[in-house]
PDB file of all heavy atoms in Angstrom:
ATOM      1  N   LYS B  83     -41.592  19.847  50.948  1.00 98.00           N
ATOM      2  CA  LYS B  83     -40.197  20.065  51.327  1.00 98.00           C
ATOM      3  C   LYS B  83     -39.709  21.253  50.518  1.00 98.00           C
ATOM      4  O   LYS B  83     -39.575  21.170  49.290  1.00 98.00           O
ATOM      5  CB  LYS B  83     -39.377  18.805  51.019  1.00 98.00           C
ATOM      6  CG  LYS B  83     -37.897  18.920  51.354  1.00 98.00           C
ATOM      7  CD  LYS B  83     -37.630  19.098  52.833  1.00 98.00           C
ATOM      8  CE  LYS B  83     -36.124  19.009  53.140  1.00 98.00           C
ATOM      9  NZ  LYS B  83     -35.835  19.526  54.511  1.00 98.00           N
ATOM     10  N   LEU B  87     -36.058  27.244  49.304  1.00 98.00           N
ATOM     11  CA  LEU B  87     -35.496  28.184  50.280  1.00 98.00           C
ATOM     12  C   LEU B  87     -33.990  28.029  50.464  1.00 98.00           C
ATOM     13  O   LEU B  87     -33.377  28.713  51.273  1.00 98.00           O
ATOM     14  CB  LEU B  87     -36.223  28.049  51.622  1.00 98.00           C
ATOM     15  CG  LEU B  87     -37.648  28.619  51.604  1.00 98.00           C
ATOM     16  CD1 LEU B  87     -38.304  28.488  52.963  1.00 98.00           C
ATOM     17  CD2 LEU B  87     -37.640  30.086  51.171  1.00 98.00           C
ATOM     18  N   HIS B 192     -12.767  20.515  36.531  1.00 98.00           N
ATOM     19  CA  HIS B 192     -13.757  19.563  37.023  1.00 98.00           C
ATOM     20  C   HIS B 192     -15.079  19.886  36.362  1.00 98.00           C
ATOM     21  O   HIS B 192     -15.555  21.013  36.416  1.00 98.00           O
ATOM     22  CB  HIS B 192     -13.908  19.643  38.540  1.00 98.00           C
ATOM     23  CG  HIS B 192     -15.035  18.781  39.056  1.00 98.00           C
ATOM     24  ND1 HIS B 192     -14.970  17.405  39.084  1.00 98.00           N
ATOM     25  CD2 HIS B 192     -16.275  19.098  39.512  1.00 98.00           C
ATOM     26  CE1 HIS B 192     -16.107  16.917  39.558  1.00 98.00           C
ATOM     27  NE2 HIS B 192     -16.917  17.923  39.815  1.00 98.00           N
ATOM     28  N   GLY B 261     -44.891  16.497  30.673  1.00 97.00           N
ATOM     29  CA  GLY B 261     -45.840  16.078  29.635  1.00 97.00           C
ATOM     30  C   GLY B 261     -45.946  17.081  28.496  1.00 97.00           C
ATOM     31  O   GLY B 261     -46.573  16.802  27.479  1.00 97.00           O
ATOM     32  N   SER B 282     -36.979   4.673  24.793  1.00 98.00           N
ATOM     33  CA  SER B 282     -36.471   3.299  24.813  1.00 98.00           C
ATOM     34  C   SER B 282     -35.026   3.330  25.306  1.00 98.00           C
ATOM     35  O   SER B 282     -34.424   4.394  25.424  1.00 98.00           O
ATOM     36  CB  SER B 282     -36.556   2.688  23.417  1.00 98.00           C
ATOM     37  OG  SER B 282     -35.870   3.505  22.493  1.00 98.00           O
ATOM     38  N   LYS B 324     -37.575   2.099  37.982  1.00 98.00           N
ATOM     39  CA  LYS B 324     -38.841   2.008  37.235  1.00 98.00           C
ATOM     40  C   LYS B 324     -39.057   0.547  36.820  1.00 98.00           C
ATOM     41  O   LYS B 324     -40.141  -0.002  36.987  1.00 98.00           O
ATOM     42  CB  LYS B 324     -38.761   2.926  36.015  1.00 98.00           C
ATOM     43  CG  LYS B 324     -39.432   2.417  34.768  1.00 98.00           C
ATOM     44  CD  LYS B 324     -40.772   3.058  34.553  1.00 98.00           C
ATOM     45  CE  LYS B 324     -41.393   2.528  33.270  1.00 98.00           C
ATOM     46  NZ  LYS B 324     -42.811   2.672  33.226  1.00 98.00           N
ATOM     47  N   ALA B 334     -47.039  15.392  33.817  1.00 98.00           N
ATOM     48  CA  ALA B 334     -47.967  16.512  33.908  1.00 98.00           C
ATOM     49  C   ALA B 334     -47.737  17.410  32.699  1.00 98.00           C
ATOM     50  O   ALA B 334     -46.592  17.675  32.332  1.00 98.00           O
ATOM     51  CB  ALA B 334     -47.725  17.290  35.197  1.00 98.00           C
ATOM     52  N   ILE B 352     -46.894  30.263  48.140  1.00 98.00           N
ATOM     53  CA  ILE B 352     -45.563  29.779  47.718  1.00 98.00           C
ATOM     54  C   ILE B 352     -45.509  29.762  46.192  1.00 98.00           C
ATOM     55  O   ILE B 352     -46.342  29.112  45.544  1.00 98.00           O
ATOM     56  CB  ILE B 352     -45.292  28.357  48.272  1.00 98.00           C
ATOM     57  CG1 ILE B 352     -45.219  28.407  49.801  1.00 98.00           C
ATOM     58  CG2 ILE B 352     -43.991  27.797  47.693  1.00 98.00           C
ATOM     59  CD1 ILE B 352     -45.138  27.046  50.462  1.00 98.00           C
TER      60      ILE B 352
END
Side-chain angles (χ1 to χ4, degrees):
Chain B
K83 179 64 172 165
L87 288 181
H192 174 72
S282 56
K324 143 101 179 158
I352 295 172

